[in-house]
Amino acid sequence: MAGGPVLTRRDGLKGLVGVAAVAGLAACGGSDDEGSGTGGGESGGGTGGDVIVNGSEPQNKLVPTNTNEVGGGRLLDSLWAGLVYYKADGTPENDVAESIESSDAQNYTIKIKSGQTFSDGTPVTAKSFVDAWNYGALGTNAQLSSYFFEPIEGFEAVQSEPPAAQTLSGLAVVDDTTFTVKLLQPESDFPLRLGYSAFYPLPESAFADMEAFGENPVGNGPYKLKAEGAWQHNVRIDFVPNETYDGPRKAQNDSLSFVFYETNDAAYSDLQGGNLDVLDAIPPSALATFEDDLGDRAVNIPAAVFQSYCIPERLPHFGGEEGKLRRQALSYAIDRDQICETVFSGTRTPAKDFTSPVIAGYSETVAGNEVLSFDAAKAKQLWAQADAISPWSGTFTLAYNTDLGHQEWVDAVTASIRQTLGIQAEGAPYPTFAQIRTEVTNRTITGAFRTGWQADYPGLYNFLGPLYATGAGSNDGDYSNPEFDALLQQAASTTDQDQANELLQQAQTILFTDLPVIPLWYSNASGGFGENAENVQFGWNSVPLYYQVTKS
């Protein structure tokens, strides 16, 4: 996941608080005053208690630069503190950083607060960040989030085979609390990106055996592992407050446990039965009733989450002009309005673009987005044009993981395709998210597959660059379009916010022609909390602010 929107630069960047104020970038996933309607603010408070929440087994070991999925990401964000963090409404605030400054949006000086330590007591220094970023960028380490470091000078050298350099030339340690970053070009939104997990620091002990470290990670955030071996794979992981952390996200509870449920139905039953304190994924079976069931403990607010499905061009019938026609036909064949109402009971909104309506710069009138409307006649016409190139045969399959409640909408989408196009279409279930992601990552999956994006940081670019730029780490369909890449680069380098947004909308018009994924809908943060849970607040990206949850 890489990139981000471009902040407006006025007289240099003098720390994150000033940058946020100038940019006006506040996503609408809740606010400090209103939260999710539960009371409680950013600082939390209460009587503490042992808090149990839902989660999912991470795809990989817990290494910040090799985790780019939600299950692992929420664990990293509890175990680590970055230079900045994002408040509930998406505004950035300094965490480990004392200041992040630049006069030209290309050369940055970053100072961290003195006296910071990891949970094992070792110091957090400027070198902790520089070493971690160098590890993540080095091509031979094959880190999923390596492209986050692409804007930094020297990235091409560390990515070459064999590497022409072992470290990024654009990073330099000045002293224990200061380091500098030189980018290849001005990118005024660079400070906004620094709250994402790829930019977290690492202790020196991590580099001795990164595989072992990822099994028992040591971070510098509000929590730490309860004990060595506290991660019971496919079952749960247990955290306790990290007493060495003294930042703005200090844990208000006595412990935090993530339980990895096989289904969201089981999680919802536990919530109703008092065995789960916070749930951020209501199962389809309960979407029509959960607000009545939970009353003022129900949460249903906008969030920066985009849902889609991907049909790689490498699949038979989906390359070249034929593939473009078929993807457009499949998009026109989906009745998004009906599915959002009947399957999701109004907890989803039909997509109008590739980003999210809670992000500054969003537009529902991007040229070409008529392909997201339901038009059976247009779908049949385009499919026939593709058949004229190469007749279709076989079954259209859409892969999904059954552990997080996707069967209902996949059944609805494939039914819409069958009825509209008159072809065989069906879901292809995988038992776990980790299993489907492994096949997607290894490029061994043989059909279309569900995709989604929960923003790393509150910016339009973050929904585009990481997923569709050539070679990007989350570009699961291996999409590549030089014109699209050029527009992304222009948007990243401009220091004018309005101009950057215009360029990103132009880039989306290309996506609407090529359809590297089929946009479906935007997700709300739909969840709930138990009768004894207090200070529950869901953030701009739909993730609860776990550190402030308490139990009466």
Side-chain angles (χ1 to χ4, degrees):
M1 310 175 195
V6 181
L7 299 180
T8 301
R9 180 172 62 89
R10 298 180 185 174
D11 301 322
L13 304 181
K14 301 298 183 182
L16 261 278
V17 177
V19 172
V22 170
L25 276 174
C28 301
S31 70
D32 292 344
D33 296 327
E34 296 178 357
S36 58
T38 67
E42 289 281 336
S43 61
T47 57
D50 300 311
V51 173
I52 303 175
V53 302
N54 70 299
S56 58
E57 175 71 14
Q59 180 186 5
N60 299 311
K61 300 296 175 62
L62 293 176
V63 175
T65 50
N66 204 39
T67 299
N68 68 348
E69 44 79 27
V70 175
R74 67 183 59 194
L75 303 182
L76 293 181
D77 292 342
S78 294
L79 292 171
W80 262 271
L83 293 166
V84 305
Y85 79 103
Y86 306 115
K87 298 174 67 175
D89 66 356
T91 55
E93 295 281 353
N94 287 345
D95 196 337
V96 177
E98 184 71 43
S99 63
I100 302 172
E101 299 182 348
S102 177
S103 60
D104 59 5
Q106 183 171 3
N107 296 277
Y108 289 87
T109 298
I110 299 175
K111 290 185 175 293
I112 67 172
K113 298 169 184 174
S114 60
Q116 304 282 302
T117 63
F118 291 99
S119 61
D120 64 358
T122 58
V124 176
T125 65
K127 188 173 184 293
S128 306
F129 284 93
V130 170
D131 287 351
W133 297 9
N134 279 325
Y135 178 87
L138 187 61
T140 52
N141 290 329
Q143 298 293 283
L144 290 174
S145 293
S146 63
Y147 58 91
F148 256 106
F149 307 103
E150 186 173 3
I152 301 176
E153 185 182 83
F155 182 79
E156 186 174 340
V158 300
Q159 283 281 306
S160 63
E161 295 183 9
Q166 296 294 308
T167 59
L168 293 162
S169 59
L171 295 180
V173 174
V174 177
D175 55 41
D176 281 350
T177 59
T178 310
F179 67 103
T180 58
V181 183
K182 183 178 183 180
L183 306 182
L184 293 169
Q185 63 183 21
E187 298 201 18
S188 55
D189 78 322
F190 183 70
L192 183 61
R193 308 177 192 183
L194 298 179
Y196 181 57
S197 56
F199 295 104
Y200 289 160
L202 287 173
E204 288 188 17
S205 60
F207 302 100
D209 187 339
M210 197 63 73
E211 183 80 5
F213 174 82
E215 184 70 22
N216 290 282
V218 173
N220 63 320
Y223 293 94
K224 63 181 180 180
L225 287 180
K226 184 175 183 179
E228 188 170 340
W231 181 1
Q232 302 175 56
H233 290 283
N234 298 301
V235 179
R236 65 187 289 155
I237 189 167
D238 298 308
F239 296 162
V240 293
N242 172 18
E243 65 278 2
T244 71
Y245 175 75
D246 194 29
R249 296 183 297 135
K250 201 165 184 65
Q252 302 299 306
N253 42 57
D254 297 322
S255 68
L256 176 64
S257 296
F258 291 84
V259 176
F260 305 148
Y261 287 92
E262 291 186 4
T263 67
N264 285 342
D265 287 283
Y268 187 63
S269 294
D270 267 4
L271 180 70
Q272 291 179 299
N275 298 314
L276 186 68
D277 297 310
V278 182
L279 173 67
D280 70 345
I282 300 296
S285 61
L287 287 176
T289 61
F290 83 101
E291 291 183 283
D292 290 333
D293 293 342
L294 300 178
D296 61 5
R297 294 184 289 111
V299 177
N300 188 19
I301 58 174
V305 181
F306 168 82
Q307 298 289 340
S308 58
Y309 71 91
C310 179
I311 314 172
E313 293 186 42
R314 60 180 170 78
L315 299 181
H317 294 290
F318 286 102
E321 183 62 21
E322 179 193 357
K324 187 180 299 186
L325 291 167
R326 293 202 187 280
R327 283 190 293 275
Q328 291 174 0
L330 288 164
S331 183
Y332 277 115
I334 301 169
D335 193 338
R336 294 167 177 80
D337 290 325
Q338 183 181 55
I339 293 171
C340 286
E341 183 58 36
T342 59
V343 175
F344 293 115
S345 299
T347 60
R348 305 291 188 275
T349 302
K352 300 295 184 183
D353 80 332
F354 290 81
T355 67
S356 165
V358 306
I359 300 297
Y362 165 81
S363 172
E364 62 178 25
T365 59
V366 179
N369 73 349
E370 63 273 5
V371 75
L372 302 183
S373 59
F374 177 58
D375 188 332
K378 185 72 171 177
K380 292 175 183 176
Q381 176 189 358
L382 291 165
W383 195 260
Q385 291 177 21
D387 276 344
I389 298 174
S390 177
W392 171 265
S393 61
T395 300
F396 178 80
T397 60
L398 175 51
Y400 65 97
N401 50 301
T402 60
D403 57 343
L404 294 177
H406 296 285
Q407 180 179 345
E408 287 82 359
W409 73 257
V410 170
D411 286 348
V413 165
T414 52
S416 190
I417 291 170
R418 283 196 307 271
Q419 294 164 8
T420 303
L421 298 178
I423 65 172
Q424 190 60 33
E426 60 188 33
Y430 284 70
T432 67
F433 178 75
Q435 285 178 279
I436 190 173
R437 284 304 308 171
T438 296
E439 287 204 18
V440 169
T441 301
N442 293 339
R443 303 303 192 260
T444 56
I445 200 160
T446 57
F449 51 90
R450 64 160 290 264
T451 48
W453 192 254
Q454 179 173 306
D456 307 314
Y457 56 87
L460 283 183
Y461 196 116
N462 185 236
F463 284 87
L464 303 177
L467 284 84
Y468 315 118
T470 300
S474 293
N475 187 345
D476 293 329
D478 298 318
Y479 173 70
S480 180
N481 185 312
E483 185 181 357
F484 174 80
D485 292 342
L487 287 168
L488 286 184
Q489 185 175 17
Q490 291 177 53
S493 61
T494 184
T495 57
D496 180 272
Q497 180 66 54
D498 292 336
Q499 182 183 356
N501 287 338
E502 289 178 9
L503 291 166
L504 293 173
Q505 304 303 11
Q506 291 178 38
Q508 289 199 74
T509 65
I510 297 172
L511 297 184
F512 276 126
T513 299
D514 296 343
L515 288 178
V517 302
I518 310 296
L520 294 173
W521 37 74
Y522 314 116
S523 297
N524 278 7
S526 301
F529 51 96
E531 293 181 353
N532 295 323
E534 298 177 343
N535 302 303
V536 179
Q537 189 173 21
F538 281 52
W540 62 279
N541 59 354
S542 84
V543 177
L545 278 60
Y546 299 114
Y547 62 90
Q548 70 179 36
V549 178
T550 60
K551 291 174 70 174
S552 58

PDB file of all heavy atoms in Angstrom, residues 87-102:
ATOM      1  N   LYS A  87      -5.947  10.282  14.118  1.00  0.00           N
ATOM      2  CA  LYS A  87      -7.058  10.388  15.045  1.00  0.00           C
ATOM      3  C   LYS A  87      -8.306   9.763  14.416  1.00  0.00           C
ATOM      4  O   LYS A  87      -8.304   9.369  13.258  1.00  0.00           O
ATOM      5  CB  LYS A  87      -7.289  11.854  15.413  1.00  0.00           C
ATOM      6  CG  LYS A  87      -6.096  12.494  16.127  1.00  0.00           C
ATOM      7  CD  LYS A  87      -6.294  13.975  16.359  1.00  0.00           C
ATOM      8  CE  LYS A  87      -7.407  14.263  17.335  1.00  0.00           C
ATOM      9  NZ  LYS A  87      -7.515  15.716  17.644  1.00  0.00           N
ATOM     10  N   ALA A  88      -9.378   9.691  15.187  1.00  0.00           N
ATOM     11  CA  ALA A  88     -10.579   9.019  14.714  1.00  0.00           C
ATOM     12  C   ALA A  88     -11.105   9.605  13.419  1.00  0.00           C
ATOM     13  O   ALA A  88     -11.637   8.893  12.575  1.00  0.00           O
ATOM     14  CB  ALA A  88     -11.666   9.060  15.789  1.00  0.00           C
ATOM     15  N   ASP A  89     -10.953  10.905  13.236  1.00  0.00           N
ATOM     16  CA  ASP A  89     -11.474  11.535  12.021  1.00  0.00           C
ATOM     17  C   ASP A  89     -10.463  11.566  10.886  1.00  0.00           C
ATOM     18  O   ASP A  89     -10.713  12.146   9.831  1.00  0.00           O
ATOM     19  CB  ASP A  89     -11.968  12.951  12.319  1.00  0.00           C
ATOM     20  CG  ASP A  89     -10.843  13.908  12.720  1.00  0.00           C
ATOM     21  OD1 ASP A  89      -9.682  13.462  12.838  1.00  0.00           O
ATOM     22  OD2 ASP A  89     -11.134  15.103  12.925  1.00  0.00           O
ATOM     23  N   GLY A  90      -9.311  10.936  11.065  1.00  0.00           N
ATOM     24  CA  GLY A  90      -8.308  10.842  10.018  1.00  0.00           C
ATOM     25  C   GLY A  90      -7.232  11.894  10.058  1.00  0.00           C
ATOM     26  O   GLY A  90      -6.268  11.815   9.296  1.00  0.00           O
ATOM     27  N   THR A  91      -7.331  12.874  10.933  1.00  0.00           N
ATOM     28  CA  THR A  91      -6.286  13.887  10.996  1.00  0.00           C
ATOM     29  C   THR A  91      -5.032  13.308  11.642  1.00  0.00           C
ATOM     30  O   THR A  91      -5.118  12.564  12.613  1.00  0.00           O
ATOM     31  CB  THR A  91      -6.747  15.130  11.780  1.00  0.00           C
ATOM     32  OG1 THR A  91      -7.197  14.723  13.077  1.00  0.00           O
ATOM     33  CG2 THR A  91      -7.865  15.838  11.062  1.00  0.00           C
ATOM     34  N   PRO A  92      -3.853  13.650  11.110  1.00  0.00           N
ATOM     35  CA  PRO A  92      -2.613  13.114  11.662  1.00  0.00           C
ATOM     36  C   PRO A  92      -2.118  13.930  12.848  1.00  0.00           C
ATOM     37  O   PRO A  92      -2.284  15.153  12.889  1.00  0.00           O
ATOM     38  CB  PRO A  92      -1.638  13.215  10.486  1.00  0.00           C
ATOM     39  CG  PRO A  92      -2.127  14.405   9.721  1.00  0.00           C
ATOM     40  CD  PRO A  92      -3.624  14.441   9.887  1.00  0.00           C
ATOM     41  N   GLU A  93      -1.518  13.252  13.792  1.00  0.00           N
ATOM     42  CA  GLU A  93      -0.885  13.893  14.948  1.00  0.00           C
ATOM     43  C   GLU A  93       0.459  13.216  15.185  1.00  0.00           C
ATOM     44  O   GLU A  93       0.630  12.024  14.918  1.00  0.00           O
ATOM     45  CB  GLU A  93      -1.751  13.750  16.211  1.00  0.00           C
ATOM     46  CG  GLU A  93      -3.087  14.458  16.149  1.00  0.00           C
ATOM     47  CD  GLU A  93      -2.976  15.955  16.390  1.00  0.00           C
ATOM     48  OE1 GLU A  93      -1.871  16.417  16.732  1.00  0.00           O
ATOM     49  OE2 GLU A  93      -3.996  16.646  16.217  1.00  0.00           O
ATOM     50  N   ASN A  94       1.413  13.967  15.699  1.00  0.00           N
ATOM     51  CA  ASN A  94       2.705  13.376  16.018  1.00  0.00           C
ATOM     52  C   ASN A  94       2.576  12.339  17.119  1.00  0.00           C
ATOM     53  O   ASN A  94       1.831  12.524  18.079  1.00  0.00           O
ATOM     54  CB  ASN A  94       3.690  14.451  16.455  1.00  0.00           C
ATOM     55  CG  ASN A  94       4.160  15.315  15.300  1.00  0.00           C
ATOM     56  OD1 ASN A  94       3.983  14.963  14.138  1.00  0.00           O
ATOM     57  ND2 ASN A  94       4.750  16.457  15.603  1.00  0.00           N
ATOM     58  N   ASP A  95       3.296  11.232  16.972  1.00  0.00           N
ATOM     59  CA  ASP A  95       3.365  10.207  18.010  1.00  0.00           C
ATOM     60  C   ASP A  95       4.817  10.126  18.477  1.00  0.00           C
ATOM     61  O   ASP A  95       5.209  10.802  19.421  1.00  0.00           O
ATOM     62  CB  ASP A  95       2.863   8.863  17.479  1.00  0.00           C
ATOM     63  CG  ASP A  95       2.555   7.863  18.588  1.00  0.00           C
ATOM     64  OD1 ASP A  95       3.109   8.019  19.692  1.00  0.00           O
ATOM     65  OD2 ASP A  95       1.761   6.934  18.363  1.00  0.00           O
ATOM     66  N   VAL A  96       5.644   9.371  17.799  1.00  0.00           N
ATOM     67  CA  VAL A  96       7.070   9.326  18.146  1.00  0.00           C
ATOM     68  C   VAL A  96       7.791  10.577  17.652  1.00  0.00           C
ATOM     69  O   VAL A  96       8.787  11.005  18.229  1.00  0.00           O
ATOM     70  CB  VAL A  96       7.721   8.057  17.569  1.00  0.00           C
ATOM     71  CG1 VAL A  96       9.228   8.032  17.863  1.00  0.00           C
ATOM     72  CG2 VAL A  96       7.069   6.806  18.156  1.00  0.00           C
ATOM     73  N   ALA A  97       7.283  11.184  16.605  1.00  0.00           N
ATOM     74  CA  ALA A  97       7.950  12.361  16.032  1.00  0.00           C
ATOM     75  C   ALA A  97       7.818  13.583  16.935  1.00  0.00           C
ATOM     76  O   ALA A  97       6.764  13.835  17.507  1.00  0.00           O
ATOM     77  CB  ALA A  97       7.366  12.681  14.671  1.00  0.00           C
ATOM     78  N   GLU A  98       8.895  14.314  17.043  1.00  0.00           N
ATOM     79  CA  GLU A  98       8.870  15.639  17.650  1.00  0.00           C
ATOM     80  C   GLU A  98       8.517  16.669  16.584  1.00  0.00           C
ATOM     81  O   GLU A  98       7.739  17.592  16.815  1.00  0.00           O
ATOM     82  CB  GLU A  98      10.241  15.955  18.258  1.00  0.00           C
ATOM     83  CG  GLU A  98      10.307  17.274  19.006  1.00  0.00           C
ATOM     84  CD  GLU A  98       9.542  17.233  20.312  1.00  0.00           C
ATOM     85  OE1 GLU A  98       9.662  16.220  21.040  1.00  0.00           O
ATOM     86  OE2 GLU A  98       8.808  18.208  20.598  1.00  0.00           O
ATOM     87  N   SER A  99       9.091  16.499  15.387  1.00  0.00           N
ATOM     88  CA  SER A  99       8.799  17.401  14.272  1.00  0.00           C
ATOM     89  C   SER A  99       9.166  16.729  12.963  1.00  0.00           C
ATOM     90  O   SER A  99      10.046  15.856  12.907  1.00  0.00           O
ATOM     91  CB  SER A  99       9.564  18.724  14.411  1.00  0.00           C
ATOM     92  OG  SER A  99      10.968  18.484  14.368  1.00  0.00           O
ATOM     93  N   ILE A 100       8.472  17.118  11.907  1.00  0.00           N
ATOM     94  CA  ILE A 100       8.758  16.674  10.540  1.00  0.00           C
ATOM     95  C   ILE A 100       8.746  17.930   9.686  1.00  0.00           C
ATOM     96  O   ILE A 100       7.695  18.523   9.469  1.00  0.00           O
ATOM     97  CB  ILE A 100       7.708  15.660  10.043  1.00  0.00           C
ATOM     98  CG1 ILE A 100       7.648  14.445  10.972  1.00  0.00           C
ATOM     99  CG2 ILE A 100       8.015  15.217   8.612  1.00  0.00           C
ATOM    100  CD1 ILE A 100       6.504  13.492  10.665  1.00  0.00           C
ATOM    101  N   GLU A 101       9.919  18.353   9.205  1.00  0.00           N
ATOM    102  CA  GLU A 101      10.037  19.659   8.580  1.00  0.00           C
ATOM    103  C   GLU A 101      10.665  19.579   7.192  1.00  0.00           C
ATOM    104  O   GLU A 101      11.511  18.722   6.928  1.00  0.00           O
ATOM    105  CB  GLU A 101      10.859  20.595   9.458  1.00  0.00           C
ATOM    106  CG  GLU A 101      10.240  20.835  10.838  1.00  0.00           C
ATOM    107  CD  GLU A 101      11.038  21.814  11.676  1.00  0.00           C
ATOM    108  OE1 GLU A 101      12.184  22.118  11.274  1.00  0.00           O
ATOM    109  OE2 GLU A 101      10.531  22.259  12.708  1.00  0.00           O
ATOM    110  N   SER A 102      10.222  20.485   6.327  1.00  0.00           N
ATOM    111  CA  SER A 102      10.805  20.618   4.998  1.00  0.00           C
ATOM    112  C   SER A 102      10.494  21.998   4.465  1.00  0.00           C
ATOM    113  O   SER A 102       9.417  22.539   4.724  1.00  0.00           O
ATOM    114  CB  SER A 102      10.242  19.557   4.048  1.00  0.00           C
ATOM    115  OG  SER A 102      10.763  19.728   2.746  1.00  0.00           O
TER     116      SER A 102
END
